[in-house]
Amino acid sequence: MTAAPLVGTDPAAVTGSPPGGRRGRRFDGPARTAAGFALGAALLFAVAPLTLSDFRLSLLAKYLCVAMVAVGIGIAWGRGGMLTLGQGVFFGLGGYAMAMHLKLADAGPGELPDFMQLYGQLDELPLWWRPFASPWIALPATVLLPMAVAFGLGSLVFRRRVRGAYFAILSQALAAAMVILLVGQQGTTGGTNGLTDIQGFFGYDLDDPVNQRMVYFIIAASLLALLALARQLIRSRYGELLVAVRDGEERVRFLGYDPAGVKLVGYVIAAGMAGLAGALFVPAVGIISPALIGIVPSIEFVIGVAVGGRATLLGPVLGAVAVAWARTALSERFPGTWTYLQGLLFVLVVAFLPGGLASLWVLARQRRSDPAGARWWRRARPVDRAENRTEVSAA
Amino acid sequence: MTGPQLDGLCVRGLRVTFDGFTAVDGIDLDVPPGDIRFLIGPNGAGKTTVVDAVTGLVRATGSARFGDRELLGRDVHRIARLGIGRTFQTASVFEELTVVQNLDIAAGATRNWWTLARRRNRIPDEVAAALETIGLTDRGDQLAGALAHGQKQWLEIGMLLVSDARLLLLDEPVAGMSHEERDATGALLETVSRDRTVVVIEHDMDFLRRFARSVTVLHAGKVLSEGTVAQVQADPRVQEVYLGVDTAPEA
């Protein structure tokens, strides 16, 4: 058996770079990955805290939370083809779980959170709030609760072969339903206002800039951890299988797999990531409310991913941060026009650059490395087909 | 490769109806172990529908047994795990994955989650063997989408080999292939049939004459004729509906 050794599975190979693209590159493999993570860590832990004001750093913390959601969407949508327009639900579940705990901690043992006292309809804490008084339940719940909901929904939906636009609409409807539920239960959820004015974070005063900085570092570390997890997932056999399900669900089924299970895993992981992001968003911003988790934010999560490049590892993160940053920068200067600009950006990317900005990078790499490989790639398809056609007609 | 035990396909009274239209009308079919059976018939005869029914894609009544297992009524992926593999008229490989990745996925339907969560650090033996068999050893790292049409068909057959399919149902495997590619495909079928049972849907009469061990002619959802190539060609009913009286003697 003289098969050429396969050097891992390059994510670039899945995003469409020619197979020859990797050949002859010296700086590659584990060294490149380590360098990439080191660079990311240096930017997040040294450059950003040293150069940004406290205000800008807290904005960056918020963007990084959005980026964590984007990592999950990159897996579910970019790799698994599940266009999930309802990640706000999972973001919200994580956020509310965290906020409920922090509100209870702020209020002190046995006391009701301030908003419940304000509305004055309750004498004691509702039953479903009680578990969140314990950090040992609330913290795991920020991730496990979204995952459980995603598991329930996914089990119902994927086995019935709901996919494409139908899945997107369904996931969006879920976001709408969640908002309606939260607003309707004002007495116990804070309604439209949400859970606001969160003061402390496990004993640390969130008004203190030092503690805000600590929250930022926790968020940055979590994002890097999620990226490492996503990278492992993409490069694993499961990651290859997920792409196969995205591109040929029926074919995978005929090979003896149940594609519903494969998709379910990706969807649940994406939900867990969104939940963690929501949980960390709360101490960074001090509030969670229906407006932050409904249809519009759910779509904005996806726009960042599309702009950055959904099938790549870093594309969703950079896209999410860039779009969130542009949103702040532009709405400061031109309030009211950002929505239009965002829509325009989305349309342009979808129409002219379906692979997102990351595909520019892949293209550039193709040009630079191994021009022979690129030529071979360009030649292979049309000519081979043409040859076939002539020989068939001759036969 | 010493494959597992050789089984045959036994179909009894297979019937498929779509909204009142009977596409397959009570077919009996016996494909003995190790056969290369060609299914032929005019368009709409029900050839692909038979394969769809056996692989669980469409609902059917009657019985289809492979070895001693009943196939009808099971889910598509469960049937596949019983060793039934199929290809489609249009080669359906995973174009954005490499040849090795395609084969590795096909080989892994019974992998556990722990194996799936890790990277493939070398080419599994069965994948290397299949690369050799389908003649794509030096193309392992290429994207399947960049393969020539014929190579995609071979890759698809290779995917069935590594998935340990013991019954191969091939839907027009040589459509659009050059002469050389057809010869190579025929040789591949002969190799494969040493430890597997093969059923081929094909329109190419020249290919059929050279590689079929037995032939079943379908017409309007029923079996019109069955036997060796010579027997079927000599059958006047077959000449009438399908081969055409003119073309038969020239073989």
Side-chain angles (χ1 to χ4, degrees):
Chain A
M1 276 163 266
T2 54
L6 187 89
V7 192
T9 53
D10 187 5
V14 189
T15 55
S17 77
R22 281 173 66 93
R23 236 168 274 151
R25 292 176 62 82
R26 275 162 297 163
F27 186 53
D28 210 343
R32 190 167 146 238
T33 310
F37 272 94
L39 180 68
L43 281 174
L44 289 175
F45 290 107
V47 177
L50 289 175
T51 56
L52 295 178
S53 67
D54 285 340
F55 173 66
R56 293 284 159 195
L57 196 67
S58 73
L59 281 181
L60 182 59
K62 197 169 129 186
Y63 304 159
L64 294 184
C65 288
V66 177
M68 286 162 73
V69 181
V71 174
I73 296 178
I75 290 169
W77 182 34
R79 294 282 155 165
M82 295 167 272
L83 175 51
T84 158
L85 292 179
Q87 288 307 90
V89 171
F90 308 125
F91 183 82
L93 284 169
Y96 270 90
M98 176 65 94
M100 283 160 73
H101 173 70
L102 297 183
K103 285 305 278 183
L104 289 173
D106 281 352
E111 295 294 318
L112 289 181
D114 49 8
F115 75 95
M116 286 189 193
Q117 295 174 5
L118 189 69
Y119 298 133
Q121 295 159 345
L122 295 162
D123 305 325
E124 57 173 2
L125 201 60
L127 209 58
W128 59 274
W129 267 74
R130 284 181 197 168
F132 293 93
S134 158
W136 301 107
I137 294 177
L139 280 184
T142 61
V143 176
L144 295 181
L145 202 61
M147 289 175 91
V149 170
F151 182 85
L153 180 75
S155 313
L156 288 173
V157 158
F158 296 134
R159 222 162 283 284
R160 284 175 177 71
R161 307 191 189 176
V162 176
R163 59 193 146 202
Y166 298 100
F167 175 76
I169 292 167
L170 195 79
S171 63
Q172 186 165 81
L174 194 69
M178 172 126 168
V179 167
I180 291 169
L181 188 73
L182 286 169
V183 171
Q185 303 296 315
Q186 190 174 27
T188 52
T189 63
T192 323
N193 298 333
L195 302 178
T196 59
D197 198 23
I198 288 160
Q199 304 288 332
F201 184 61
F202 299 96
Y204 294 96
D205 180 6
L206 286 173
D207 281 337
D208 188 339
V210 175
N211 293 338
Q212 271 301 331
R213 215 158 256 253
M214 173 191 71
V215 170
Y216 165 81
F217 283 125
I218 294 174
I219 290 172
S222 304
L223 175 63
L224 285 180
L226 289 195
L227 273 174
L229 176 68
R231 183 177 176 280
Q232 170 63 21
L233 208 69
I234 286 172
R235 298 192 152 208
S236 70
R237 279 179 150 135
Y238 169 77
E240 297 175 358
L241 184 57
L242 190 62
V243 169
V245 169
R246 178 192 74 189
D247 294 343
E249 190 169 333
E250 287 308 310
R251 175 74 270 186
V252 171
R253 202 186 301 282
F254 280 103
L255 289 172
Y257 292 94
D258 182 6
V262 178
K263 290 167 92 168
L264 187 59
V265 170
Y267 186 54
V268 167
I269 290 173
M273 291 181 168
L276 180 62
L280 293 175
F281 180 87
V282 169
V285 182
I287 178 177
I288 188 80
S289 75
L292 293 165
I293 68 169
I295 288 181
V296 173
S298 293
I299 292 176
E300 282 173 351
F301 289 142
V302 170
I303 290 179
V305 175
V307 169
R310 62 179 187 262
T312 57
L313 180 65
L314 281 178
V317 169
L318 299 178
V321 172
V323 169
W325 172 79
R327 176 201 166 110
T328 312
L330 290 173
S331 9
E332 276 170 5
R333 247 168 273 173
F334 320 100
T337 52
W338 165 245
T339 319
Y340 298 101
L341 283 172
Q342 182 176 246
L344 184 69
L345 183 69
F346 187 54
V347 169
L348 286 178
V349 167
V350 168
F352 298 108
L353 208 61
L357 294 176
S359 57
L360 290 178
W361 158 260
V362 172
L363 272 175
R365 226 168 68 147
Q366 241 168 265
R367 290 269 160 79
R368 234 173 336 123
S369 66
D370 202 3
R375 263 206 306 281
W376 168 88
W377 184 70
R378 239 176 275 138
R379 201 189 57 211
R381 304 174 106 178
V383 178
D384 281 352
R385 278 201 195 134
E387 274 168 6
N388 281 331
R389 222 172 286 132
T390 48
E391 273 160 352
V392 168
S393 56
Chain B
M1 233 200 302
T2 52
Q5 125 206 40
L6 214 50
D7 276 321
L9 176 68
C10 174
V11 173
R12 286 289 171 271
L14 189 75
R15 183 183 295 273
V16 180
T17 38
F18 301 116
D19 295 331
F21 166 72
T22 305
V24 174
D25 191 5
I27 279 180
D28 293 345
L29 196 63
D30 278 296
V31 184
D35 197 3
I36 303 182
R37 168 69 53 94
F38 274 58
L39 281 185
I40 61 170
N43 285 333
K47 309 179 293 284
T48 300
T49 311
V50 169
V51 170
D52 287 349
V54 169
T55 53
L57 188 60
V58 299
R59 298 180 70 84
T61 57
S63 156
R65 302 177 75 80
F66 179 61
D68 52 5
R69 308 273 187 115
E70 176 63 48
L71 302 178
L72 297 191
R74 292 180 198 257
D75 287 341
V76 166
H77 69 279
R78 305 244 172 244
I79 294 176
R81 286 193 186 188
L82 291 178
I84 318 296
R86 73 172 293 181
T87 64
F88 296 84
Q89 281 177 22
T90 48
S92 50
V93 294
F94 308 116
E95 307 223 333
E96 300 206 7
L97 297 174
T98 67
V99 170
V100 165
Q101 286 174 329
N102 267 274
L103 290 168
D104 187 63
I105 284 171
T110 54
R111 281 186 193 128
N112 58 34
W113 282 105
W114 173 240
T115 313
L116 283 175
R118 286 179 303 161
R119 289 173 65 172
R120 167 174 36 72
N121 42 22
R122 58 179 201 90
I123 298 180
D125 292 343
E126 68 266 31
V127 169
L131 278 174
E132 193 95 20
T133 310
I134 60 177
L136 294 179
T137 301
D138 56 346
R139 299 270 165 133
D141 285 347
Q142 274 180 21
L143 292 186
L147 293 177
H149 171 75
Q151 292 171 327
K152 283 185 193 168
Q153 294 280 6
W154 296 335
L155 173 57
E156 220 181 349
I157 294 174
M159 286 162 74
L160 302 187
L161 299 184
V162 292
S163 76
D164 233 0
R166 290 175 296 127
L167 173 66
L168 270 53
L169 304 161
L170 310 178
D171 201 347
E172 303 197 18
V174 299
M177 278 191 183
S178 69
H179 274 309
E180 294 73 22
E181 287 173 327
R182 279 163 206 240
D183 292 347
T185 309
L188 178 59
L189 293 188
E190 288 181 333
T191 313
V192 161
S193 70
R194 272 185 225 139
D195 44 19
R196 289 176 176 86
T197 308
V198 182
V199 173
V200 184
I201 296 175
E202 197 43 80
H203 285 294
D204 186 313
M205 285 304 123
D206 180 53
F207 186 70
L208 174 140
R209 287 182 199 109
R210 291 177 54 200
F211 296 107
R213 293 199 184 130
S214 62
V215 182
T216 297
V217 185
L218 299 183
H219 179 53
K222 292 189 165 148
V223 174
L224 185 72
S225 177
E226 195 166 283
T228 63
V229 178
Q231 284 167 345
V232 166
Q233 280 189 318
D235 189 329
R237 289 173 305 170
V238 175
Q239 293 173 10
E240 197 181 314
V241 306
Y242 187 62
L243 292 174
V245 184
D246 291 332
T247 56
E250 124 198 1

